Amino acid sequence: MGNNLLGRLTIWDYAIVAAYLVILFAIGYRASFSKKEKTEESLFLANKSLGWASIGFNMWGTNVGPSMLLAFASIGYSTGIVAVNFEWYAFVFLFLLATVFAPRYLAANVSTMPGFMGRQFGDSTQNILAWYALIKILISWLSLGLFSGGVLVRQILGIPMWQSVIVLVLFAGFFTFAGGLKAIAKVNVFQMLLLIGVSLTLTVIGVMKVGGLSQLWHSVPGNYWNLVHPASDPKYPWYAILLGYPVSAVAFFCTDQAMVQSVLGAKSLEQGQLGVNFIGWLKILSLPLFILTGILCYVLFPNLTSPDQAYMTMVTSLFPAGMKGLVIVVLIAVLVGTISSSLNALSTVFAMDVYARNINPNATEKDVVRVGRMTVLVGCAFAVLVALAIDSVKGLNLFDVFQAVLGFIAPPLAVVFLLTVFWRRTTQLAVNAILSWGSAFSLGVGVVYLWVLPPSPTQNTFWPHYLTLSFCIFAVLFVAAVLLSLLDKAGQERRVAVDYGVLAKPTARVKVLWGTLAAVMVVLYLIFNGH
């Protein structure tokens, strides 16, 4: 790829990038410094002032990393629309967040996920979960996000990996350091609108080049338009997605600090539930915005050396002068969105759950904010090192790396949160055992799978699909947690039943919008399976 894009930029492209940076800093500056007082609440939870649009765009912005642009186009190029499952199937778990988890989080009035669990099972659980959350944010959000961003910047500018990650981290760190969640949410709305505009333009130009939608429909193998692949499909068999995806989705959408933080900053429960509904609608756009790019590239440029080049090939070949600058802008945008949201989550968990509770219980609000900012700087440095380490692993498809890493981090979290909310008899002993020993087991299997005995067509063929493996780990841990709770009679009596008050029922507006979204999803699944 080399200097492919940089060599084709005109003065217009540079002007667009410069103008964008000015607008971005202006929005960030206004959100950060409009009110002088800086409290924990404003830095971490945006003064609980977020409406549904901010919440939806912000969660989507956190979710749509640069990896998604590259990886989805790459999978579209090689297998068609099957990866849309990872977006469309999500509405079930977003619904779970909106109707089951969010009302309890907001009623418990907590600012972090470890805080929520600590209210039920005490300090030891809160401490274990705080460290778990920190490791998870550092690895699965910051380092992987930074790595894929580095790959992109390297493709665009042709500079070494270490330089590109440092540039990115400084840029994203500035927003989190200065403005916290409110600045990030404001910037994310602007960036996501830009992303939709640019990606849609690319898709439209591509469809016109191919000769229209019906021409595109008939120009690729029939199974490209199938969401559900047969059990014999080695890459994405239907049962692996059906069973394995929910494990990651519950952990990701319902318990992940970086995703849930926007909902915790909601004006009201209704605004939070509408915001989560909105991200469900936004996820439908993944097909036209990201996956279709890859399918179009398959028709227009069938002989690429690697499917990972699909996105950049489309951009460099189809966009006129001036538009290429916009693409660079969008790529910076999705990166800053993901990295700054995860830095914010990292600083919230460390400052509130580790520092203010264990290291310095007498900390003033000023101290907590200061430590939150220090955490951002340390997190940046750590993420750079891990991103460079990931870069040394060869021969892995970007998207599968993300899904696999999440698939091994997720099972303990999914087990613990589901049991806590749905089963009154879960005990502290069970929760702590799953979070500590269960996590060691799950991550240990992951390390063996990814690095020690990686599966290949010729070797180590005993492994099931990584999503099925994730489900098996979840099932083992789930049974273990139930048995431990049943055997721990004293623990059942000790559990603090959190008084949520009367949990608010969803309003009529919330019910109608979720019902509509579910109906639309069913129709989409029926349309894309008739082949």
Side-chain angles (χ1 to χ4, degrees):
M1 226 40 218
N3 293 347
N4 209 341
L5 195 54
L6 198 62
R8 303 180 184 205
L9 297 182
T10 63
I11 186 82
W12 291 109
D13 295 310
Y14 288 112
I16 284 175
V17 174
Y20 159 78
L21 293 179
V22 171
I23 295 171
L24 198 60
F25 277 109
I27 295 175
Y29 184 84
R30 278 199 52 195
S32 310
F33 303 107
S34 52
K35 296 241 174 53
K36 274 290 169 258
E37 80 280 4
K38 263 283 167 265
T39 60
E40 298 170 14
E41 184 96 319
S42 69
L43 189 71
F44 301 130
L45 294 178
N47 290 329
K48 300 218 166 186
S49 63
L50 301 179
W52 64 267
S54 281
I55 294 167
F57 275 128
N58 201 36
M59 284 180 78
W60 199 51
T62 308
N63 192 195
V64 177
S67 55
M68 221 155 172
L69 291 178
L70 288 185
F72 273 0
S74 161
I75 294 185
Y77 187 90
S78 50
T79 51
I81 66 166
V82 64
V84 176
N85 280 303
F86 292 93
E87 293 292 283
W88 289 1
Y89 189 8
F91 87 94
V92 179
F93 308 98
L94 289 166
F95 179 69
L96 198 64
L97 168 63
T99 56
V100 176
F101 287 95
R104 286 169 174 80
Y105 293 155
L106 290 169
N109 197 20
V110 290
S111 47
T112 64
M113 298 293 95
F116 174 74
M117 295 301 270
R119 292 278 293 274
Q120 327 230 7
F121 301 109
D123 287 355
S124 60
T125 304
Q126 183 159 352
N127 292 339
I128 296 173
L129 197 59
W131 286 105
Y132 193 91
L134 290 172
I135 292 167
K136 179 168 187 284
I137 294 167
L138 279 169
I139 296 175
S140 71
W141 281 104
L142 271 176
S143 309
L144 280 171
L146 200 57
F147 163 66
S148 53
V151 171
L152 261 177
V153 173
R154 187 168 61 185
Q155 275 189 13
I156 297 171
L157 302 179
I159 58 177
M161 187 69 168
W162 65 272
Q163 289 175 4
S164 51
V165 273
I166 288 171
V167 170
L168 288 169
V169 126
L170 291 174
F171 197 70
F174 165 81
F175 282 103
T176 325
F177 189 85
L181 186 63
K182 197 166 183 183
I184 295 165
K186 284 248 168 74
V187 168
N188 263 348
V189 172
F190 164 65
Q191 316 218 91
M192 288 302 109
L193 290 170
L194 198 67
L195 168 70
I196 293 172
V198 173
S199 299
L200 215 51
T201 311
L202 185 60
T203 305
V204 170
I205 296 176
V207 168
M208 282 158 58
K209 262 267 192 307
V210 169
L213 283 172
S214 104
Q215 183 61 38
L216 174 66
W217 185 268
H218 296 296
S219 301
V220 295
N223 66 346
Y224 263 47
W225 302 112
N226 272 1
L227 278 169
V228 180
H229 282 205
S232 56
D233 180 40
K235 280 191 165 164
Y236 301 103
W238 65 267
Y239 63 86
I241 292 176
L242 185 72
L243 296 174
Y245 176 75
V247 178
S248 298
V250 167
F252 185 76
F253 294 116
C254 304
T255 77
D256 190 292
Q257 185 75 27
M259 288 303 281
V260 175
Q261 190 138 342
S262 304
V263 182
L264 297 179
K267 277 180 197 162
S268 64
L269 176 62
E270 187 192 37
Q271 288 297 309
Q273 290 174 324
L274 292 173
V276 177
N277 177 266
F278 184 42
I279 184 183
W281 290 101
L282 288 170
K283 279 183 162 302
I284 296 178
L285 296 176
S286 298
L287 179 59
L289 293 182
F290 311 132
I291 304 253
L292 216 53
T293 315
I295 299 177
L296 286 163
C297 187
Y298 172 80
V299 178
L300 294 170
F301 308 98
N303 302 320
L304 290 189
T305 46
S306 152
D308 287 343
Q309 296 173 356
Y311 189 79
M312 283 310 212
T313 304
M314 290 289 280
V315 169
T316 44
S317 314
L318 300 187
F319 269 171
M323 285 293 284
K324 295 190 181 94
L326 269 181
V327 176
I328 294 182
V329 162
V330 165
L331 298 179
I332 300 172
V334 287
L335 252 169
V336 173
T338 301
I339 295 172
S340 50
S341 295
S342 37
L343 279 171
N344 190 51
L346 183 80
S347 69
T348 308
V349 172
F350 186 79
M352 291 188 162
D353 287 323
V354 178
Y355 175 74
R357 287 185 63 257
N358 298 327
I359 299 173
N360 181 5
N362 306 321
T364 60
E365 219 167 65
K366 222 180 203 142
D367 292 334
V368 174
V369 171
R370 195 190 71 244
V371 168
R373 296 205 160 134
M374 291 295 295
T375 312
V376 169
L377 300 177
V378 175
C380 286
F382 179 85
V384 168
L385 295 174
V386 178
L388 294 173
I390 298 173
D391 190 41
S392 66
V393 178
K394 293 287 174 270
L396 288 166
N397 160 338
L398 251 187
F399 184 74
D400 288 339
V401 173
F402 277 73
Q403 292 301 334
V405 168
L406 193 62
F408 295 117
I409 292 178
L413 281 174
V415 167
V416 165
F417 274 84
L418 286 171
L419 283 174
T420 300
V421 168
F422 287 108
W423 195 44
R424 272 293 158 64
R425 294 170 66 182
T426 314
T427 66
Q428 181 195 26
L429 172 78
V431 167
N432 289 3
I434 297 303
L435 285 175
S436 48
W437 297 106
S439 302
F441 167 66
S442 189
L443 293 171
V445 174
V447 168
V448 174
Y449 177 90
L450 286 169
W451 278 286
V452 184
L453 299 170
S456 72
T458 50
Q459 285 174 308
N460 307 327
T461 50
F462 54 83
W463 288 111
H465 190 280
Y466 64 85
L467 287 170
T468 315
L469 188 58
S470 175
F471 175 75
C472 294
I473 296 171
F474 169 81
V476 168
L477 296 182
F478 192 86
V479 172
V482 171
L483 289 175
L484 282 169
S485 294
L486 291 174
L487 293 170
D488 180 21
K489 287 281 183 276
Q492 290 180 26
E493 284 152 29
R494 276 201 310 271
R495 176 172 173 185
V496 185
V498 174
D499 181 21
Y500 297 118
V502 178
L503 283 178
K505 292 269 181 284
T507 58
R509 220 173 18 158
V510 171
K511 285 181 184 161
V512 167
L513 281 165
W514 276 105
T516 316
L517 179 63
V520 168
M521 283 302 179
V522 170
V523 170
L524 285 171
Y525 265 88
L526 291 172
I527 291 172
F528 287 105
N529 269 327
H531 300 280

